[in-house]
């Protein structure tokens, strides 16, 4: 089971790395891609298996985000994108009460 879990972790990290999106340990546990039957794996099993030497040679953990080695710059990009999206959501929330005054408007999506 450890080798299949290690492979699942590597597949998941590689997939999200291709999307330029580093994962946290919680996101890795939640969005784990399994090639076999998706068995229930605890969060602690995932966090413990990340500490093994066989995965440390492929993965880099920086500021709580996990990427493949060589792609550590994705962490900075994700953090800056998160800051920008939080700022944009705050701006939109200021305008939300005005949208309620527009007749026939059913919803606004961000």
């Amino acid at each position: 089971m450890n080798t299949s879990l290690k492979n699942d972790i590597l597949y998941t990290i590689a997939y999200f790395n291709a999307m330029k999106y580093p994962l946290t340990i919680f996101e890795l546990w939640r969005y784990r891609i399994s090639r076999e039957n998706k068995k229930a794996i605890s969060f602690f099993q995932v966090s413990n298996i990340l500490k093994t030497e066989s995965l440390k040679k492929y993965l880099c953990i920086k500021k709580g985000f996990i990427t493949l080695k060589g792609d550590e710059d994705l962490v900075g990009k994700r953090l800056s994108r998160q800051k920008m999206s939080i700022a944009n959501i705050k701006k939109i929330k200021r305008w939300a009460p005005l949208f309620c005054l527009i007749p026939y408007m059913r919803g606004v999506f961000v």
Side-chain angles (χ1 to χ4, degrees), residues 46-99:
V46 173
S47 64
N48 286 338
I49 213 155
L50 283 174
K51 297 174 187 172
T52 61
E53 289 299 320
S54 60
L55 282 180
K56 281 187 179 180
K57 60 184 173 185
Y58 299 113
L59 303 178
C60 173
I61 300 175
K62 180 180 176 184
K63 294 185 181 179
F65 294 99
I66 306 164
T67 61
L68 294 176
K69 286 217 179 197
D71 286 333
E72 293 88 7
D73 59 328
L74 294 178
V75 173
K77 290 179 183 178
R78 178 171 175 187
L79 290 173
S80 66
R81 288 178 188 152
Q82 275 183 324
K83 288 178 186 176
M84 284 179 17
S85 67
I86 289 171
N88 289 338
I89 288 171
K90 286 181 181 178
K91 288 178 188 176
I92 293 293
K93 281 186 177 180
R94 278 190 250 142
W95 287 91
L98 293 176
F99 291 134

Side-chain angles (χ1 to χ4, degrees), residues 6-39:
K6 287 178 188 178
N7 288 337
D8 291 350
I9 287 172
L10 284 175
Y11 292 139
T12 306
I13 296 292
Y15 175 78
F16 281 97
N17 216 35
M19 302 293 175
K20 308 285 187 218
Y21 193 80
L23 296 173
T24 62
I25 295 175
F26 178 76
E27 291 168 339
L28 175 63
W29 169 73
R30 184 165 183 205
Y31 302 124
R32 180 178 58 94
I33 299 170
S34 179
R35 295 183 72 181
E36 299 171 4
N37 292 343
K38 194 163 187 175
K39 299 176 184 173

